[in-house]
Amino acid sequence: MVDERPTRLLASTRHLRQPLFTFTHHARNLKTVAEIVAPISIEDFRRDAFQAQRPLLIRPSSKPSTLSPCPNQQNDANTQTNTSTSPTILPALTKWFNTSPSSGKTSLTPYLDNFRSTILPYELSFPNSAQVLGFMSWLQRSSSSSSSSTASSDSHPDSNSDSDSQSRLALAHLLKNYITHHSSSSSSEFLILDLPLHLLLLAHHYNMFLSSSQTPPNPPLTNLYIAQAPLSHLPSPLRSDLPTPLLVSHAGRGDIYSSSIWLGLQPTYTPWHRDPNPNLFCQLCGTKVLRLMAPKRGEALFRGVMASLAVAAGSGKIRGEEMMKGEQRRALEGAVWAGDGEGADDMMYEVTVQAGDMLFMPLGWWHSVKSVGEEGGINGSVNWWFR
């Protein structure tokens, strides 16, 4: 996978007379999305990205750990016109995640434990893998012996409480039931389930325990993903940590079609698809790589893959389960990421997003997303679809 950094456009777009979007080429003909360091005014964003229907990467001017507090968004109209919506306004960057200065590893903060009971949609790839079975065994072991020194050494700090012990046992039971039912009814590659946020919190602590052990008993849990969870399903304090960016509310009509949180254990993956509305994608922690194509070319690639499988192409607007497993997943992933599809590299763009980055994807642009980093590490994003 190419890891080159695109050339930054450091000047404010309001001073540019030439088009902002000058694309360079990666190896294998992959193109680079235009990049600018925040701030960018709403006026410039509207003209050069939103109305021009061209992708744009907006990087923060400082690291997430040094970002200023969220500014007051109740500005008057004149101020809003010249205000940037950079990632500095997302308190979740520093309230939900903590990065160790020594190891560089990112962890979830204890703050999120206050919302452990929130039910969210999960995706789990390869549910019968050794990683999943090892995690389930750990849940059961720590819940049944929470008062012992063995359990307290490899558990969440509050593991000696009866409520946490019962929660672990209940989650292990629910997860086992999901997997058992799924295995008897369909493919064993991919599972969709609705479970509390506590599942991810425990899975993350489990992986942190394994990474700190010199001789870990099991591989880390991976491919567990809270995917496309509507922000409206989050408790009010968590929604407040993800205020709607001014670019979303003021660049167009201010009509928000939907918004979602994406939070999981690496590797995470989203297949080749397009969105029915413009998309502002914001990385909260970890790193992701996206590959994109303009509407007509992206659709041609998608339909070519579907034709090779003798499958009805559909619209590609829905992140369907069939695209996450079996031949469809392998064929789409190969065409987009391995260049197996005819003409896949002809007009393919690649962009890397890190914590604090915002990526604007215009209406109808096709894209696929992969996390990059240590297996089992935490990775998080949020996005808004708007008009």
Side-chain angles (χ1 to χ4, degrees), residues 253-321:
R253 294 181 292 177
D255 179 9
I256 300 174
Y257 174 76
S258 186
S259 55
S260 297
I261 186 74
W262 311 77
L263 185 62
L265 303 177
Q266 299 175 158
T268 62
Y269 169 73
T270 293
W272 191 243
H273 71 287
R274 59 177 176 146
D275 297 328
N277 287 284
N279 184 352
L280 189 67
F281 181 92
C282 308
Q283 189 68 3
L284 298 175
C285 75
T287 301
K288 284 180 176 172
V289 176
L290 296 90
R291 289 194 173 177
L292 307 92
M293 263 187 171
K296 289 184 179 180
R297 290 181 177 268
E299 182 171 1
L301 174 60
F302 177 73
R303 292 188 177 279
V305 171
M306 294 298 103
S308 71
L309 299 174
V311 174
S315 66
K317 292 183 179 180
I318 300 175
R319 192 176 186 268
E321 180 177 349

Side-chain angles (χ1 to χ4, degrees), residues 196-216:
L197 175 61
H198 199 200
L199 175 67
L200 181 67
L201 300 180
L202 288 172
H204 173 63
H205 282 287
Y206 170 71
N207 283 355
M208 295 288 284
F209 160 70
L210 293 179
S211 67
S212 65
S213 175
Q214 294 183 348
T215 56

Side-chain angles (χ1 to χ4, degrees), residues 180-196:
T180 300
H181 175 74
H182 175 78
S183 299
S184 63
S185 62
S186 61
S187 166
S188 60
E189 292 185 38
F190 184 73
L191 175 63
I192 296 176
L193 54 163
D194 294 313
L195 286 173

